[in-house]
Amino acid sequence: MTGACLAEMGHRVRFVGRDTGKLDAIRAGKSPIFEPGLEELLVKNRERIETTTDIADAVHRTDLSFICVGTPPHNDGSSDLSQVETVSHAIGNALDTWHHTVVVKSTVLPGTIEEVIIPILETESGKKAFADFGIASNPEFLKEGTAVQDFFHTDRVVIGTQDPRSKELLESLYSPLQVPVFSTTIRVSEMIKFASNAFLATKISFANEVGNLCKEHGIDSYEVFAGVGLDTRISPSFFRSGLGFGGSCFPKDVGALIAHAKDKGVDTRILSSVIATNDDQPEHMVSLLQKHLPVRDRTIGVLGLAFKPDTDDIRESRAIPLIKSLLNAGARVIVYDPVAMDNFRHLFPDLTYASSPTEVLTADAVLIVTEWKAFETLDYRGKLVIDGRRIRKAREEAAVYEGLCW
Ligand code: UDX
């Protein structure tokens, strides 16, 4: 993603990876992931884009290396750094006589660059960080589905480095975007990423907790948070209550922060509750449904499997615990998603995968899990709908309608 956007800014970019299928796709101007606008950038900037499996070759021919590999969670929530370490060994090994800057975009906990990555780079290269080669933290704040738009119109770019040369290089790289650049130390930069995601996740769980209470009062939490959000100290965004958060970042990053804090002997009661509240929402949806229709031996339709619209990503999607809960309660489940069904099939091969959303509406009840635009145009008349994402047409038309927090 970052590479395609940098190419769009006029830079020559070499994508390095092990998966030759993905590299071939990039070279052919095909996006290896579903991300609106990405393919257009790959096609448009083809002549500036090269791909290779050879890290050393890429390091030798470029000024900056961005480490963008995953940091998936271990079972205890802590970050698995093995991919970051492998790449650091290879980059360190390739660091040569001229000045090269290594930029860490992967989400890594405070201290990782200084305690893990720099020692690897120095040992492999026999050189000194900040003197012989540059190193910086430059976390990613892109949202899936709007990543291209977010890159070019971000609220801020964060650059963490003690190295004036790398700082200048990165500041000039991002300066055409004309967005605020926050320059700081490496550790602060690493923490900004985690604190940002943890705060946004907290905001959502807070909205869900208050939203559940609103529901008991028969009031609309969206109206409540529209009023709350007018306070400029608070802001109205990320207050959409409902089924909770999924995706590759919020659950993982909050989990990693909790595990890290535990290591450091710091209590994170708020963050643990953020996860607990999030875990409860799918169960809460099934309870609402059961009030209207005991689900045993009934067919329940699920609209949306992706963790949010405009992506085929199902990682930590709320659809997963929701469907498990429905199956445990004895329901038959029919599902539809515009792009995420293939991914979901790997996890749940035995569900009924509908060929259209209309087919899902033939079920005894319908649960709305992802707010795809297409779901705004369906005919919900006569249906029993439990809505986790606030689809206006369903709200207006369904015979029986329950919003999760409204
Ligand atoms: C998030 C961060 O927003 C981004 O800055 C970071 O780089 C990566 O993680 P992403 O996971 O792509 O981005 O999606 P986002 O739009 O933040 O949504 C995450 C989850 O929260 C989704 O499941 C979404 O449905 C949910 N959400 C979001 C809510 O439930 N309510 C909201 O108000 C906003």
Side-chain angles (χ1 to χ4, degrees), residues 140-144 238-240 245-246 249 307-308:
E140 189 69 272
F141 299 103
L142 309 179
K143 300 189 292 301
E144 285 184 39
F238 275 69
F239 259 155
R240 296 194 313 276
F245 58 82
C249 288
F307 84 95
K308 64 184 245 183

Side-chain angles (χ1 to χ4, degrees), residues 146-391:
T146 56
V148 173
Q149 161 87 1
D150 290 349
F151 182 92
F152 290 104
H153 304 283
T154 180
D155 288 338
R156 81 313 204 178
V157 167
V158 175
I159 296 168
T161 182
Q162 284 86 296
D163 163 19
R165 194 164 166 179
S166 301
K167 179 172 176 278
E168 213 179 292
L169 197 62
L170 282 167
E171 284 177 354
S172 71
L173 184 77
Y174 287 112
S175 69
L177 296 181
Q178 297 188 306
V179 296
V181 173
F182 187 81
S183 287
T184 181
T185 62
I186 288 178
R187 251 171 228 254
V188 170
S189 171
E190 290 170 316
M191 187 56 117
I192 286 173
K193 167 75 186 197
F194 278 91
S196 298
N197 276 354
F199 183 77
L200 292 170
T202 304
K203 214 174 165 190
I204 297 168
S205 276
F206 177 80
N208 286 336
E209 196 168 291
V210 173
N212 292 341
L213 188 56
C214 288
K215 178 77 183 171
E216 290 302 314
H217 279 286
I219 56 177
D220 180 352
S221 65
Y222 272 61
E223 218 178 314
V224 169
F225 285 112
V228 172
L230 285 174
D231 187 327
T232 52
R233 292 170 301 177
I234 299 176
S235 130
S237 66
F238 275 69
F239 259 155
R240 296 194 313 276
S241 57
L243 201 48
F245 58 82
S248 63
C249 288
F250 288 169
K252 170 176 88 75
D253 293 352
V254 176
L257 205 52
I258 293 171
H260 181 63
K262 201 169 159 198
D263 260 7
K264 297 271 177 202
V266 174
D267 203 341
T268 48
R269 274 164 292 185
I270 292 178
L271 296 181
S272 300
S273 304
V274 166
I275 298 290
T277 300
N278 197 53
D279 287 345
D280 284 351
Q281 290 307 91
E283 202 51 59
H284 185 54
M285 191 177 208
V286 175
S287 305
L288 260 180
L289 171 61
Q290 296 264 33
K291 280 188 195 161
H292 293 278
L293 180 84
V295 301
R296 176 159 296 283
D297 297 327
R298 298 301 186 118
T299 303
I300 308 301
V302 172
L303 284 176
L305 300 172
F307 84 95
K308 64 184 245 183
D310 297 320
T311 175
D312 62 354
D313 195 341
I314 58 159
R315 282 176 288 178
E316 300 289 335
S317 168
R318 300 295 78 201
I320 298 168
L322 178 79
I323 288 171
K324 277 187 184 156
S325 172
L326 288 171
L327 294 174
N328 284 341
R332 288 184 298 270
V333 180
I334 175 166
V335 300
Y336 176 80
D337 188 284
V339 295
M341 292 207 285
D342 283 347
N343 288 340
F344 216 76
R345 256 195 205 98
H346 296 297
L347 283 185
F348 292 92
D350 298 328
L351 303 177
T352 304
Y353 288 85
S355 52
S356 72
T358 321
E359 202 182 324
V360 167
L361 291 180
T362 59
D364 297 314
V366 175
L367 308 184
I368 302 177
V369 170
T370 316
E371 63 275 36
W372 283 99
K373 268 212 175 67
F375 300 161
E376 273 293 1
T377 55
L378 302 177
D379 183 355
Y380 294 96
R381 282 174 299 178
K383 309 297 174 195
L384 161 54
V385 176
I386 314 291
D387 187 358
R389 299 294 181 193
R390 203 174 168 94
I391 296 293

